[in-house]
């Protein structure tokens, strides 16, 4: 059983901060798509970094392949954000963005990168705002992975904790499901918790 990183009050404040950033993200995504977009109130949980691969397999359920984006953020608040999308959600968002079907692999990857860049910037920006910190974002990357090959991919090092955020983006009755993983070391997690306690 996972020991919670956050007490109930901290979790409520964290969820509210993420909701505010998701509201901003949905507005930007809606403008980009020229359509109404809504990011649902997220489910938030936490895991130890060693359980990350197992969690990715769990959230993907019966999927065999998926898209994984990574983006580092550095500064007084630093860590890394991963996003995981199953094949259906990645294709659905790309089709909506490009207003066409049967997009090629490069179109899908660039579309997902645009989507995750917006959400990451808003969410991490909100965290930086409350801790009065500054951060810069590294260039994000994306790759297509297979669950059967999970053991062969490089492990992510340098972090201790993962905040797991399940998000559903509603656009034109499409339910585009993504999972956001915020990777932090113990120092950054403590910094965030201490700041939340002061709010």
């Amino acid at each position: 059983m996972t020991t919670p990183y956050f007490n109930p009050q901290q979790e409520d404040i964290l969820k509210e901060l993420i909701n505010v950033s998701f509201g901003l993200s949905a507005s930007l995504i809606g403008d980009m798509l020229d359509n109404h977009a809504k990011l649902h109130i997220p489910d938030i949980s936490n895991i130890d970094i060693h359980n990350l691969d197992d969690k990715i397999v769990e959230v993907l359920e019966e999927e065999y392949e998926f898209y994984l984006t990574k983006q580092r953020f550095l500064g007084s608040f630093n860590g890394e954000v991963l996003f995981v999308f199953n094949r259906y959600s990645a294709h659905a968002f790309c089709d909506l963005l490009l207003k066409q079907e049967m997009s090629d692999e490069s179109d899908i990857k660039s579309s997902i990168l645009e989507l995750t860049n917006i959400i990451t910037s808003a969410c991490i920006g909100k965290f930086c705002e409350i801790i009065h910190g500054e951060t810069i974002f590294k260039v994000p990357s994306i790759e297509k992975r297979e669950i059967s090959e999970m053991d062969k991919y490089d492990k992510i090092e340098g972090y201790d904790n993962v905040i797991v955020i399940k998000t559903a983006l509603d656009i034109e009755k499409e339910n585009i499901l993504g999972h956001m993983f915020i990777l932090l070391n113990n120092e950054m997690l403590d910094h965030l918790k201490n700041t939340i306690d002061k709010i």
Side-chain angles (χ1 to χ4, degrees), residues 122-140:
C123 194
I124 300 305
K126 181 57 67 176
F127 286 2
C128 287
E129 189 181 305
I130 68 157
I131 67 170
H132 304 294
E134 293 183 358
T135 194
I136 58 170
F137 294 95
K138 303 286 279 185
V139 176

Side-chain angles (χ1 to χ4, degrees), residues 6-188:
F6 304 99
N7 63 41
Q9 291 80 13
Q10 290 170 336
E11 188 171 316
D12 285 345
I13 292 172
L14 182 65
K15 184 173 281 192
E16 186 57 37
L17 290 168
I18 293 170
N19 279 336
V20 171
S21 68
F22 275 16
L24 173 61
S25 299
S27 176
L28 294 170
I29 293 164
D31 290 346
M32 183 170 71
L33 297 172
D34 194 24
N35 208 320
H36 177 71
K38 179 181 179 182
L39 276 164
H40 285 279
I41 295 172
D43 292 330
I44 301 173
S45 58
N46 57 263
I47 57 171
D48 185 274
I49 190 68
H50 300 299
N51 298 322
L52 177 60
D53 283 358
D54 288 342
K55 187 66 176 180
I56 290 173
V57 172
E58 177 191 322
V59 301
L60 287 167
E61 298 175 340
E62 297 299 315
E63 292 291 325
Y64 298 106
E65 57 185 19
F66 62 97
Y67 293 87
L68 175 76
T69 70
K70 299 180 188 177
Q71 188 166 20
R72 290 283 313 277
F73 53 97
L74 304 168
S76 49
F77 186 59
N78 61 76
E80 191 163 354
V81 174
L82 310 183
F83 267 94
V84 168
F85 292 90
N86 64 28
R87 190 172 180 274
Y88 170 81
S89 291
H91 281 251
F93 182 77
C94 182
D95 291 348
L96 286 168
L97 180 61
L98 300 181
K99 296 179 171 59
Q100 66 182 42
E101 295 184 6
M102 303 300 292
S103 302
D104 64 26
E105 198 65 28
S106 63
D107 287 335
I108 293 166
K109 287 182 175 179
S110 61
S111 298
I112 289 297
L113 278 178
E114 281 193 64
L115 172 62
T116 58
N117 197 39
I118 288 171
I119 300 173
T120 298
S121 298
C123 194
I124 300 305
K126 181 57 67 176
F127 286 2
C128 287
E129 189 181 305
I130 68 157
I131 67 170
H132 304 294
E134 293 183 358
T135 194
I136 58 170
F137 294 95
K138 303 286 279 185
V139 176
S141 65
I142 184 168
E143 58 186 293
K144 195 174 186 180
R145 290 188 170 186
E146 293 184 22
I147 284 182
S148 61
E149 303 283 312
M150 288 294 276
D151 291 342
K152 298 180 181 178
Y153 299 114
D154 292 338
K155 302 297 180 190
I156 297 176
E157 298 181 348
Y159 306 106
D160 306 294
N161 314 291
V162 184
I163 302 171
V164 183
I165 304 169
K166 178 182 177 181
T167 149
L169 176 64
D170 273 353
I171 312 159
E172 284 189 353
K173 299 181 181 177
E174 287 284 3
N175 190 29
I176 296 167
L177 192 63
H179 292 84
M180 182 180 188
F181 300 87
I182 303 175
L183 281 51
L184 302 171
N185 61 27
N186 287 331
E187 181 185 358
M188 285 296 109

